[in-house]
Amino acid sequence: MNLLDSLRTHRLLAIVRGSDPDAALATVLTLADSGINLIEVSLTSTDALGVLRRARAALGTEYGLGAGTVLTAEQAADAAEAGATYLVTPALAPSLAEAARLGLPVLAGALTPTEVVQATTGGAAAVKLFPASVGGPDYLRALRDPFPQTPFVPVGGVDAARARDYLDRGAIAVGVGSPLVGDAVRGGDLAALRQRAADFLAVTAIAPAGGAS
């Protein structure tokens, strides 16, 4: 997949992380059915690879289903085998080189200017600004001065209001976990998840020409 194009088009990456595999799968499928095209299943989840396999079988190839918190070369290979079409890392890690060997795009975690350079020169399709909550939207704006062409995706502490702020300051997309997923990964209300998904999709939508965002 072309991860960079997908991030620019959809502008929202949902992050699913939980200890109940069946609830995690239901969360992924509900997010997809609600119109969210990019969904990451964190490998810190219980039976994450099983969730990825079952989600891919249910969704087919239409959706951008990725694996998150991928740190090692072995994890990268396992995620690819389970059906992930892109990888997400919290930091610069050996998984970046393995993903390149496998031909998988990576959203690579970085925080400092040095790490941003290392991520981009290491072949990352985009930079996951993590944890974004450390500096907030103003830090993203400061980073974009020396890195105006770098595609940034803030992750960490991104609620609906912050999502809009980050996008207004030049992020190509935002990654959102608990503010979007809520208690669904613990078997919570899927109707409430659908409403939160609609709210985030409205916040991250590109405004029509001449219209307000």
Side-chain angles (χ1 to χ4, degrees), residues 18 34 38 44 56 68-69 97 100 108 123 139 155 168:
S34 299
L38 291 171
T44 58
R56 179 59 73 198
T69 325
Y139 181 62
V155 178
D168 287 345

Side-chain angles (χ1 to χ4, degrees), residues 70-79 87 93-99 101-102:
V70 183
L71 295 173
T72 69
E74 181 181 8
Q75 287 176 330
D78 288 345
L87 307 180
S95 52
L96 189 57
E98 179 64 10
R101 190 187 72 80
L102 295 169

Side-chain angles (χ1 to χ4, degrees), residues 31-33 35-39 56 59-65 85:
L31 289 167
D33 189 57
I36 295 179
N37 188 273
L38 291 171
I39 304 169
R56 179 59 73 198
L59 296 174
T61 59
E62 179 182 354
Y63 288 88
L65 186 63
T85 52

Side-chain angles (χ1 to χ4, degrees), residues 37-62:
N37 188 273
L38 291 171
I39 304 169
E40 164 196 336
V41 177
S42 172
L43 293 190
T44 58
S45 301
T46 300
D47 192 25
L49 296 175
V51 173
L52 277 167
R53 289 190 186 95
R54 290 194 288 163
R56 179 59 73 198
L59 296 174
T61 59
E62 179 182 354

Side-chain angles (χ1 to χ4, degrees), residues 4-132:
L4 183 56
D5 283 353
S6 293
L7 288 166
R8 283 178 169 148
T9 297
H10 299 290
R11 308 222 295 176
L12 176 62
L13 170 66
I15 302 166
V16 175
R17 178 184 292 107
S19 59
D20 182 333
D22 290 336
L25 176 63
T27 299
V28 170
L29 299 182
T30 300
L31 289 167
D33 189 57
S34 299
I36 295 179
N37 188 273
L38 291 171
I39 304 169
E40 164 196 336
V41 177
S42 172
L43 293 190
T44 58
S45 301
T46 300
D47 192 25
L49 296 175
V51 173
L52 277 167
R53 289 190 186 95
R54 290 194 288 163
R56 179 59 73 198
L59 296 174
T61 59
E62 179 182 354
Y63 288 88
L65 186 63
T69 325
V70 183
L71 295 173
T72 69
E74 181 181 8
Q75 287 176 330
D78 288 345
E81 188 277 331
T85 52
Y86 60 93
L87 307 180
V88 184
T89 75
L92 302 172
S95 52
L96 189 57
E98 179 64 10
R101 190 187 72 80
L102 295 169
L104 285 179
V106 180
L107 175 59
L111 181 63
T112 68
T114 299
E115 291 170 347
V116 170
V117 171
Q118 291 173 338
T120 54
T121 57
V127 173
K128 169 183 169 179
L129 183 61
F130 178 79

